[in-house]
Amino acid sequence: MTGDALSQDPTELQRRIDSSKAHPARVYDVFLGGKDHYPADLSAAAAGLAANPRGYLDVRHNRDFLRRAVNTLVTEDGIHQFLDIGTGLPTAENVHQIAQRVAPDSRVVYVDNDPVVLTHARALLTSGPEGRTDYIDADLKDPAVILEQAAKTLDFDRPIALCLVAVLHFVEDEQAYPIVRELVDALPSGSRVVLSHLTEDLNPENIRAVQRTYTERGFTFVLRTRADVERFFTESSLDIVDPGVVPVHHWRPDHAAPVPERPEDSYLERLDPIERVRYEDINDVTDADINVYGAVATKA
């Protein structure tokens, strides 16, 4: 791991943490079965699950889409550089682990603005000896800063995969589309964009209920149509690869989603619904469960 972000004083990082308010990265961590969150994050996740009891499938299939996309880009397209914005808290199968398993020399830059994420990035987002990883403490809304810092690790003369996975629905239209254009404009020819986004196209009643629970907690939460999602690609002159913009569980499925070890039923019965999520098998997904589009595109 390299980068100025990781040299920050731990005391300063702790001062920046507001544990009284839910944060998207930490709510996501709850649904992925992590432990790096606070009561406010757990409360927000529990409210979201109450609004949509199968909502954990959105989160975990979104994560599995990222696994398949990164693996495809490394094994089939020869991409060895990744810029992952909106990283979230480190969990199993981070981008550098997926990429470096196939191409040990892969370089990965993670970007997030949550100090809790930064604290854990120090210890967990560590590269193998042949590759490099870095962490940038920055906001998606500051693309110029991200690009300047990323250039310290990534070679912008070679193709880069820009990962914008489940992050743009936290940004309003007037900022979201220009941000993506600025980031894509800086990428060299042959680069890729991996993007996923929440939508109300598929199962509107469920996702609108979830949206209400999060907007009440102060989150920006923009649900976009398929045409809106495609616009992120068309406005940047990107070519969307097969199978196009599709529900994430339909993007080149390999039926290899990890299956967690399930404890005894007597133990599960003592848990709250949100605590049981980490033990759920996501392979029973149906189209009625998913509210996330995913796609990969190429820059000519």
Side-chain angles (χ1 to χ4, degrees), residues 30-147:
V30 176
F31 280 108
L32 290 175
K35 299 179 180 178
D36 302 312
H37 48 261
Y38 297 96
D41 308 305
L42 187 63
S43 175
L49 190 67
N52 180 14
R54 300 264 290 171
Y56 62 89
L57 290 164
D58 277 334
V59 176
R60 289 179 52 194
H61 272 283
N62 176 73
R63 187 76 187 183
D64 202 54
F65 159 71
L66 176 63
R67 174 187 65 82
R68 298 193 307 276
V70 171
N71 191 62
T72 297
L73 294 183
V74 179
T75 59
E76 297 183 14
D77 299 344
I79 302 293
H80 292 185
Q81 299 192 105
F82 294 83
L83 177 57
D84 182 6
I85 304 178
T87 302
L89 282 146
T91 185
E93 293 294 278
N94 299 289
V95 170
H96 74 281
Q97 293 167 314
I98 302 166
Q100 291 180 359
R101 185 179 301 123
V102 179
D105 65 339
S106 295
R107 297 183 176 193
V108 180
V109 173
Y110 295 103
V111 183
D112 210 297
N113 67 340
D114 179 13
V116 175
V117 175
L118 175 55
T119 299
H120 291 279
R122 294 171 181 269
L124 298 177
L125 299 180
T126 54
S127 174
E130 297 175 53
R132 292 183 66 187
T133 63
D134 196 2
Y135 182 93
I136 299 172
D137 180 19
D139 195 300
L140 173 62
K141 296 176 182 177
D142 294 320
V145 172
I146 291 171
L147 292 167

Side-chain angles (χ1 to χ4, degrees), residues 217-297:
R217 287 164 170 78
F219 289 8
T220 297
F221 206 83
V222 183
L223 301 174
R224 293 189 170 97
T225 66
R226 181 176 178 176
D228 294 333
V229 175
E230 289 176 341
R231 183 181 158 197
F232 284 114
F233 300 106
T234 57
E235 286 196 359
S236 296
S237 300
L238 296 167
D239 298 318
I240 303 173
V241 305
D242 288 337
V245 176
V246 296
V248 283
H249 63 307
H250 288 311
W251 197 91
R252 303 189 186 186
D254 60 7
H255 309 290
V259 178
E261 288 190 27
R262 188 176 177 89
E264 296 289 335
D265 288 345
S266 58
Y267 173 77
L268 288 175
E269 289 169 0
R270 297 195 299 269
L271 301 179
D272 291 334
I274 192 64
E275 295 172 319
R276 291 188 208 124
V277 163
R278 72 178 64 200
Y279 302 111
E280 298 291 351
D281 181 357
I282 67 172
N283 291 292
D284 64 346
V285 65
T286 71
D287 290 348
D289 295 318
I290 296 298
N291 303 282
V292 187
Y293 282 131
V296 175

